[in-house]
Amino acid sequence: MINRVVLVGRLTRDPELKTTQSGLSVATFTLAVNRQYTNAQGERGADFISCVIWRKAAENFCNFTSKGSLVGIDGRIQTRSYDGRNGQKVYVTEVVVDSFSLLESKKDRQNNANMGNDGGYSSNGGNNTGNSNNSAPQDPFSGSSDTIDITDDDLPF
């Protein structure tokens, strides 16, 4: 059987670090992950995935990430249940993170925040309308009348 999850997304809030009674560190967070398709209005939705990370990795994750951080995670899906306050059984599905990668520098993240970039996620029900600064990527070859000589030998495929 295979139970493997690889996700790339942004934290919806600061991770929450706790310590168990036995002294283990555990952090929980929610990762917003863009969907591949757009709806009829051209907006891209997002899924909000609950995640948990343990031990020293949890401490490191909390020290180096915060709301809006772009991270990659590798882990597995786990389900569990517990009895809620009203006596009903509550079922939880979450990703147990084995490893993570920071996918942008602190400087890049601060620049995105200063430019009003919401990271592709908005609070309007998870719909994504892109960057709020409405800037399109610039064509690096526009305005250049120079021709580019490329032979088949120059191509990597």
Side-chain angles (χ1 to χ4, degrees):
M1 305 291 167
I2 298 174
N3 181 357
R4 201 90 224 129
V5 176
V6 177
L7 298 171
V8 173
R10 292 192 182 273
L11 299 182
T12 61
R13 58 182 162 75
D14 290 346
E16 186 177 330
L17 182 64
K18 295 181 180 178
T19 304
T20 65
Q21 291 177 348
S22 60
L24 290 177
S25 296
V26 58
T28 56
F29 59 94
T30 302
L31 197 63
V33 180
N34 271 349
R35 292 184 178 158
Q36 294 296 317
Y37 57 88
T38 57
N39 64 16
Q41 292 78 32
E43 298 170 331
R44 188 177 303 272
D47 292 303
F48 298 88
I49 314 294
S50 298
C51 302
V52 62
I53 187 168
W54 291 86
R55 297 180 176 80
K56 186 66 175 172
E59 296 171 22
N60 289 336
F61 190 83
C62 290
N63 287 335
F64 294 106
T65 63
S66 59
K67 179 180 178 179
S69 294
L70 181 66
V71 297
I73 63 166
D74 178 44
R76 59 184 164 48
I77 292 190
Q78 177 176 287
T79 58
R80 60 184 172 88
S81 63
Y82 62 91
D83 292 326
R85 292 183 182 148
N86 57 5
Q88 289 187 327
K89 194 163 226 149
V90 178
Y91 294 93
V92 178
T93 301
E94 60 198 356
V95 174
V96 178
V97 177
D98 294 327
S99 63
F100 69 92
S101 296
L102 305 175
L103 299 180
E104 66 185 350
S105 69
K106 198 173 197 177
K107 180 181 175 185
D108 289 341
R109 207 163 107 30
Q110 289 170 343
N111 286 343
N112 284 341
N114 291 340
M115 291 174 31
N117 182 354
D118 65 2
Y121 304 99
S122 60
S123 58
N124 60 352
N127 292 328
N128 172 18
T129 57
N131 295 345
S132 60
N133 61 5
N134 294 327
S135 64
Q138 297 296 321
D139 181 0
F141 300 106
S142 66
S144 175
S145 60
D146 297 338
T147 60
I148 301 172
D149 293 326
I150 299 177
T151 65
D152 286 343
D153 293 336
D154 294 329
L155 300 174
F157 47 89

